[in-house]
Amino acid sequence: LAIQDSAAPIRDRAGQITGAVVVFHDVTRERRLRRALAYQATHDALTGLINRREFDNRLQAAVESVRSDGSRYAVLYIDLDQFKLVNDTCGHSAGDRLIREITSLIQARVRSTDTIARLGGDEFGVLLADCTLEQAGGIADSVRRAIRDHRFHWNGSALGVGASIGVVEVDAQIENAAALLSAADVACYT
């Protein structure tokens, strides 16, 4: 149990301490709610991945780390192709399931030290720690092939989607997280 405590002295008429009153209050529920709210504020409800705001915070920390100690990072910006078609023809519950399946595919192809985020409806970001541009390209290609080869089954139909992936190395010239994500987005569409 999580508790909050307070104590106050008991004094006699002469002002001498003759005892104390100690009060314990169970705050387990409040702390659990606070943790749940903090989780909801930083994570995507559908996938459990971190959300765009938290990803931006981690990107900014990576930019600062590259400047201060020469760490190496790369960023993948993944945009699903033909996702809107799945949503429009099969419905949003199918699109939700496809997003969860794609999340699993990405998680299986990145390292445990990497950070995956859902940035929007059909967009994902991956922050690759201690990673060269060449290594990031290999990871991006592995993710791209896995998504391309994946068949999404819904109501007797098998559908395929693809992915466009932009890869950017974090270097000291990157101004901030917004510039980094913008460069990755541009690389994706190029």
Side-chain angles (χ1 to χ4, degrees), residues 55 59 73-81 106 110 115 117 119 122-128 131-145 147 162-170 179-190:
F55 192 63
L59 289 178
Y73 291 93
V75 174
L76 306 183
Y77 188 98
I78 304 167
D79 187 18
L80 298 182
D81 304 326
I106 296 169
V110 299
T115 302
L119 304 178
D122 64 346
E123 299 167 329
F124 296 86
V126 183
L127 177 61
L128 303 166
C131 190
T132 66
L133 188 58
E134 184 178 319
Q135 292 168 321
I139 292 169
D141 192 52
S142 173
V143 169
R144 184 195 55 77
R145 281 186 278 114
I147 293 171
S164 300
I165 304 177
V167 182
V168 174
E169 186 174 31
V170 183
L180 177 58
L181 200 55
S182 177
D185 186 27
V186 167
C188 178
Y189 285 99
T190 301

Side-chain angles (χ1 to χ4, degrees), residues 11-87:
R11 298 182 188 271
D12 63 14
R13 290 185 177 166
Q16 297 296 320
I17 296 177
T18 60
V21 174
V22 180
V23 177
F24 295 102
H25 178 70
D26 181 358
V27 293
T28 305
R29 184 171 179 268
E30 289 86 351
R31 286 194 185 168
R32 193 175 328 127
L33 288 172
R34 204 171 321 144
R35 279 194 301 271
L37 284 173
Y39 181 86
Q40 290 173 1
T42 58
H43 288 77
D44 174 61
L46 179 63
T47 62
L49 299 174
I50 63 170
N51 61 22
R52 185 180 200 108
R53 182 179 6 201
E54 180 63 19
F55 192 63
D56 286 344
N57 292 339
R58 295 187 188 190
L59 289 178
Q60 188 60 44
V63 168
E64 292 167 8
S65 178
V66 166
R67 286 186 185 147
S68 67
D69 63 21
S71 298
R72 298 190 84 160
Y73 291 93
V75 174
L76 306 183
Y77 188 98
I78 304 167
D79 187 18
L80 298 182
D81 304 326
Q82 304 303 318
F83 176 75
K84 185 175 179 344
L85 181 66
V86 171
N87 250 356

